[in-house]
Amino acid sequence: MELSGAEILIRVLKEEGVDTIFGFPGGAVIDIYDELVRSDIRHILVRHEQGAVHAADGYARAGNTVGVCLVTSGPGATNTVTGLASAYMDSIPLVVLSGQVPTQLIGNDAFQEVDIVGITRPCTKHNYLVKDIGDLTRTLKEAFYLARSGRPGPVLIDLPKDVVKSKTVYSPIKKVTLKSYNPTYKPNIKQLKKIVELIADAQRPVIFAGGGIILSGASEHLTALARNAQVPVTTSLMGLGGFPGTDPLWLGMIGMHGTYRANMSTGACDLLLSIGVRFDDRVTGKTDSFASQAKIVHIDIDPTSIRKNIPVTIPVVGDCRSTLKELNAMLTKADLGDLKKKRKPWLDQIEEWKSTKPLAYRQTDRIKPQYVVEKLYEITKGQAIVTTEVGQNQMWAAQYYHFDHPNHFITSGGLGCMGFGLPAAIGAQLACPDKTVVDIAGDGSIQMNIQEMATAMQYCLPVKIVILNNGYLGMVRQWQELFYDKRYACTDMEHAPDFVKLAEAYGAVGLRATKPQDVEAVLKEGLSVAKPVIMDFAVEREESVYPMVPAGAPITEMLLV
Amino acid sequence: MREEKHIFTMLVDNEPGVLSRVVGLFSGRGFNIDSLVVAETVDPKVSRITLVSKADQPVIEQIEKQLNKLINVIKIRDLTGPEAVKREMALICVNAKSDHRAEILRIVDIFRCKVVDVGLEHYIIEVTGTGEKVAALLQLLKPMGIKKIARTGPLALLREPS
């Protein structure tokens, strides 16, 4: 039987287990929408295509699946670029379907035509323009396979209108193989043996884990490794939740706004086990001084991550999950001696760093943003899914909300994309309807995709937005204060909407706290409402995030409170 | 660290946009391309790209890995060493006034290249060989006046095991 391109598309989406699509219709995708509404796939109508991609990103992360978007040609497609770039940097599996003008018009500067394959080439794992309906099934299957396998990432498929309308006989494809793409999952055992020896010999080992732990579902293996070998753990921003944030071996986050003990122990360690990381500049600071006393082991599925920024002693290409599982099995057989005794001086040193220089802020009669996050952590018992915007709000969320589980902290780590948190929270809430989902936001970044409030209302998604409102673009202001003689060029948001009324205008609930003693009550009330809620906290205007490593300095040289 | 010239050869899917992925990778990551040659292989679905880049060792390693990561790159090899044959080609249009014509033909003969176009005041010479050979020929023709030149970058092919 012959099927149209649109029918084939829906069939393949169903085969791939897609139950939710984030999108926004337009001329070039009317045929797809016409077919989509006849299927049982749920469509979430966003208010801006950037919101669709971030929502799919949040959905993919919270639900451990592939996020799918559908947008029209031209502006619909260009609006996805920021979301794609963010997902690409953070290795999030997405499939974005964009409409395109009919094939005979491509290249003619047709209405709503744009070369989206050309535009998104550097910010997707791969992308396709389907010019022939005969290639449609294979392309769709390849896209899902590429998005979720190896180091995951976003894939875009550009679908000209005539290809979607034309018909062909549908022949299902069961298995995808690509001769040029074969990710290495299984590690080299010889390399693992060397790691076991290094762990046995190390006096001051540290584990530095990243997003790869979460993407590969390796948290339990990481936790087992740390506990069995008695090695303290720090993670990058992307790795938060990959190791329990309440474990005694937890060092806190590493890097520019990492904890004192995480950065100091990285500087002093003699073995750094780096797992599922890519040594971002926000993690390493000055690379020459990074873990300069340590032998460095680097485990990652992407060979290009290894030796890109940091020279390593033992490189291992492999999936974090399979590698750690194998490594743990080898460690249990190895003779590591009396670890408790051997590690004691090192763990005592770390404990001293922790007690003398803990994460800290000064309470005043104003609301401190850190205090809001601490209270949120207490009230939600650390069980909420937290999304963030970007800037100070993101760092305070990372520092003061202690994540015990993977897939609970959802942030635009690599791209650092303001406007991410609200749509991502919408996606996360759809993936996990029974969870409390909170977007920790700033007053600047929440306004970048505030229109998605309407989406949250339309689908009754009770996302909670905590605005740490300082009236500034706070992180840039902080840099201006510290490194630009307090010249606050264009960071004072002199006019802002009344967020309580704005929430009400959307039909949501708006609450405000202006004094520290109101914080708890507002959080409790806001979190108990089964509707979208904006909680506006008027916080200390010139509060800064500490510790802070100035850009380009060694991470052991921190500015403290 | 010292910069070295490396010659990479890769088999890629013969599809629109593939060259742009390769070139975009170099511009996007700040790698440089000294030369680039692309043509179909005997399998019309596969093209071969031969590319020369100059960089220090860690960057060369990154270039090879990054190229390998492109989905359309089927296979890549660094053919810098002696295990591969390398050839370049150039078409050189040289001034050939009467008093130089015999001298130019002698040079052409010595270099075992060919005259492929003749005019009253010019020759077009086709030369094939290593980069050094082409450079040496140009050196000798320079005094006559080189009107224009078109050069390929090197091509490389792995020798068969003997």
Side-chain angles (χ1 to χ4, degrees):
Chain A
M1 193 183 68
E2 289 208 324
L3 297 181
S4 71
E7 287 171 305
I8 291 174
L9 171 63
I10 302 300
R11 285 232 184 165
V12 178
L13 292 179
K14 297 281 295 172
E15 279 172 32
E16 292 294 329
V18 175
D19 55 13
T20 305
I21 289 185
F22 301 86
F24 200 101
V29 285
I30 292 182
D31 298 274
I32 300 175
Y33 270 91
D34 198 44
E35 205 51 53
L36 179 63
V37 293
R38 276 185 264 170
S39 78
D40 57 358
I41 297 175
R42 168 172 64 168
H43 179 265
I44 305 298
L45 177 65
V46 295
R47 297 306 189 263
H48 186 293
E49 289 89 347
Q50 187 188 345
V53 190
H54 293 328
D57 189 316
Y59 187 79
R61 293 199 208 190
N64 233 330
T65 181
V66 180
V68 182
C69 297
L70 174 58
V71 299
T72 194
S73 64
T78 54
N79 278 343
T80 66
V81 172
T82 304
L84 284 168
S86 179
Y88 186 55
M89 290 284 261
D90 292 345
S91 312
I92 306 304
L94 299 183
V95 171
V96 172
L97 308 160
S98 58
Q100 183 55 281
V101 300
T103 42
Q104 71 274 14
L105 285 181
I106 290 178
N108 281 12
D109 298 328
F111 177 65
Q112 293 194 331
E113 180 192 354
V114 75
D115 173 16
I116 196 64
V117 169
I119 291 172
T120 59
R121 216 167 264 147
C123 62
T124 51
K125 183 171 175 182
H126 196 52
N127 60 16
Y128 299 90
L129 166 64
V130 183
K131 280 182 147 174
D132 184 335
I133 190 171
D135 297 330
L136 182 61
T137 309
R138 181 186 53 82
T139 306
L140 286 161
K141 296 293 280 192
E142 277 183 21
F144 276 91
Y145 171 59
L146 286 173
R148 62 162 72 97
S149 62
R151 177 178 175 179
V155 179
L156 176 134
I157 308 176
D158 205 18
L159 298 163
K161 186 162 176 156
D162 56 321
V163 171
V164 170
K165 280 172 93 84
S166 59
K167 291 194 164 195
T168 191
V169 175
Y170 173 61
S171 39
I173 297 175
K174 284 275 170 288
K175 194 172 168 359
V176 182
T177 47
L178 285 161
K179 58 184 168 183
S180 59
Y181 175 81
N182 221 339
T184 308
Y185 286 86
K186 293 270 167 246
N188 181 327
I189 298 297
K190 277 189 201 149
Q191 298 290 81
L192 296 195
K193 282 187 184 145
K194 291 184 204 159
I195 300 175
V196 172
E197 283 167 24
L198 288 181
I199 292 175
D201 291 346
Q203 300 298 315
R204 304 181 306 280
V206 166
I207 292 173
F208 161 41
I213 294 292
I214 294 174
L215 290 162
S216 69
S219 308
E220 55 187 294
H221 300 299
L222 174 68
T223 309
L225 169 66
R227 289 178 185 162
N228 293 342
Q230 282 296 296
V231 181
V233 180
T234 179
T235 72
S236 64
L237 183 71
M238 291 302 295
L240 290 175
F243 184 79
T246 48
D247 193 283
L249 288 166
W250 173 237
L251 294 169
M253 183 173 72
I254 194 176
M256 184 175 271
H257 296 293
T259 61
Y260 185 78
R261 64 187 193 280
N263 287 355
M264 292 307 284
S265 45
T266 306
C269 70
D270 63 353
L271 174 64
L272 188 72
L273 298 165
S274 334
I275 310 164
V277 296
R278 60 184 177 85
F279 294 102
D280 181 270
D281 56 282
R282 288 300 195 257
V283 160
T284 60
K286 189 173 183 227
T287 48
D288 299 344
S289 331
F290 181 78
S292 52
Q293 302 182 40
K295 293 196 167 110
I296 300 182
V297 170
H298 190 183
I299 299 168
D300 201 88
I301 197 161
D302 180 1
T304 69
S305 290
I306 294 172
R307 283 203 286 260
K308 184 175 66 182
N309 302 335
I310 295 282
V312 295
T313 319
I314 301 192
V316 181
V317 178
D319 158 69
C320 293
R321 191 183 161 85
S322 346
T323 306
L324 291 186
K325 206 172 154 189
E326 193 63 52
L327 186 61
N328 282 334
M330 291 166 77
L331 276 170
T332 29
K333 285 183 220 143
D335 176 22
L336 299 176
D338 184 357
L339 278 176
K340 290 261 181 213
K341 193 177 158 202
K342 194 166 150 194
R343 298 276 192 260
K344 193 165 184 301
W346 178 227
L347 296 176
D348 285 350
Q349 167 70 71
I350 289 168
E351 194 48 44
E352 190 199 318
W353 282 325
K354 184 180 176 181
S355 53
T356 52
K357 305 270 172 49
L359 273 179
Y361 61 94
R362 289 195 191 92
Q363 269 295 9
T364 59
D365 55 354
R366 298 280 183 79
I367 302 176
K368 290 288 177 158
Q370 300 92 329
Y371 174 72
V372 177
V373 180
E374 276 183 337
K375 279 285 154 201
L376 177 70
Y377 174 71
E378 270 174 43
I379 295 167
T380 55
K381 301 186 175 69
Q383 298 299 309
I385 293 179
V386 173
T387 71
T388 74
E389 304 293 337
V390 166
Q392 291 183 318
N393 59 79
Q394 181 184 31
M395 291 302 115
W396 285 319
Q399 291 177 333
Y400 289 91
Y401 202 101
H402 311 292
F403 297 92
D404 276 339
H405 312 288
N407 308 105
H408 277 59
F409 181 60
I410 298 174
T411 193
S412 173
L415 192 71
C417 175
M418 289 169 71
F420 177 84
L422 174 54
I426 287 172
Q429 187 76 80
L430 280 156
C432 304
D434 302 327
K435 279 272 187 182
T436 300
V437 180
V438 184
D439 171 25
I440 297 182
D443 53 300
S445 39
I446 191 64
Q447 294 185 64
M448 278 211 187
N449 272 319
I450 189 78
Q451 77 285 345
E452 300 306 331
M453 281 300 290
T455 312
M457 287 304 297
Q458 180 168 338
Y459 299 96
C460 306
L461 302 168
V463 294
K464 307 292 183 274
I465 300 156
V466 168
I467 303 180
L468 306 174
N469 189 343
N470 56 16
Y472 278 119
L473 298 173
M475 187 56 92
V476 183
R477 186 212 59 76
Q478 174 172 343
W479 282 53
Q480 289 168 333
E481 177 190 330
L482 295 171
F483 313 118
Y484 293 83
D485 278 334
K486 286 199 169 191
R487 291 188 301 276
Y488 293 166
C490 308
T491 40
D492 191 346
M493 304 281 273
E494 287 168 30
H495 182 81
D498 179 330
F499 287 109
V500 172
K501 284 188 185 156
L502 189 61
E504 286 162 0
Y506 278 110
V509 175
L511 301 169
R512 176 173 292 127
T514 52
K515 295 191 295 288
Q517 53 270 34
D518 300 341
V519 170
E520 195 166 335
V522 164
L523 281 170
K524 279 187 173 156
E525 189 186 344
L527 290 165
S528 66
V529 181
K531 277 175 96 172
V533 180
I534 294 181
M535 289 165 261
D536 183 20
F537 295 91
V539 299
E540 179 91 80
R541 290 204 73 199
E542 300 203 1
E543 185 69 15
S544 292
V545 181
Y546 292 109
M548 178 177 194
V549 179
I555 57 165
T556 46
E557 292 174 16
M558 287 162 270
L559 309 174
L560 299 166
V561 182
Chain B
M1 229 174 281
R2 212 162 55 86
E3 292 205 332
E4 293 167 5
K5 260 192 186 179
H6 278 250
I7 178 162
F8 294 104
T9 173
M10 58 199 117
L11 296 173
V12 301
D13 292 324
N14 185 9
E15 283 172 18
V18 174
L19 181 60
S20 141
R21 286 180 206 277
V22 171
V23 174
L25 172 67
F26 276 75
S27 59
R29 292 192 179 266
F31 305 148
N32 81 73
I33 299 179
D34 268 22
S35 71
L36 180 72
V37 187
V38 192
E40 208 174 274
T41 61
V42 280
D43 178 354
K45 286 191 195 136
V46 176
S47 289
R48 183 183 293 279
I49 295 180
T50 313
L51 186 151
V52 177
S53 184
K54 204 159 97 185
D56 59 26
Q57 196 46 49
V59 174
I60 290 290
E61 183 182 325
Q62 265 301 306
I63 292 175
E64 187 167 347
K65 284 175 172 178
Q66 293 284 354
L67 285 169
N68 230 332
K69 192 169 157 181
L70 293 176
I71 309 294
N72 294 120
V73 172
I74 302 161
K75 193 174 180 186
I76 173 163
R77 230 182 147 131
D78 186 337
L79 289 185
T80 310
E83 70 281 10
V85 184
K86 285 140 209 145
R87 287 293 180 272
E88 292 183 34
M89 179 183 161
L91 294 170
I92 306 158
C93 182
V94 62
N95 277 325
K97 305 252 168 68
S98 51
D99 47 343
H100 283 138
R101 291 179 88 89
E103 171 66 8
I104 293 171
L105 290 179
R106 260 197 302 278
I107 295 171
V108 164
D109 194 39
I110 293 166
F111 275 78
R112 278 178 289 164
C113 37
K114 275 193 289 190
V115 173
V116 290
D117 187 61
V118 186
L120 288 174
E121 297 200 335
H122 80 276
Y123 288 135
I124 293 182
I125 298 165
E126 174 199 309
V127 58
T128 312
T130 61
E132 292 80 21
K133 177 178 167 181
V134 177
L137 176 66
L138 285 171
Q139 186 76 21
L140 288 171
L141 293 176
K142 219 172 167 183
M144 287 61 148
I146 292 167
K147 290 163 80 82
K148 55 199 173 193
I149 178 168
R151 256 181 109 159
T152 69
L155 284 171
L157 207 59
L158 193 67
R159 295 174 203 271
E160 288 293 302
S162 51

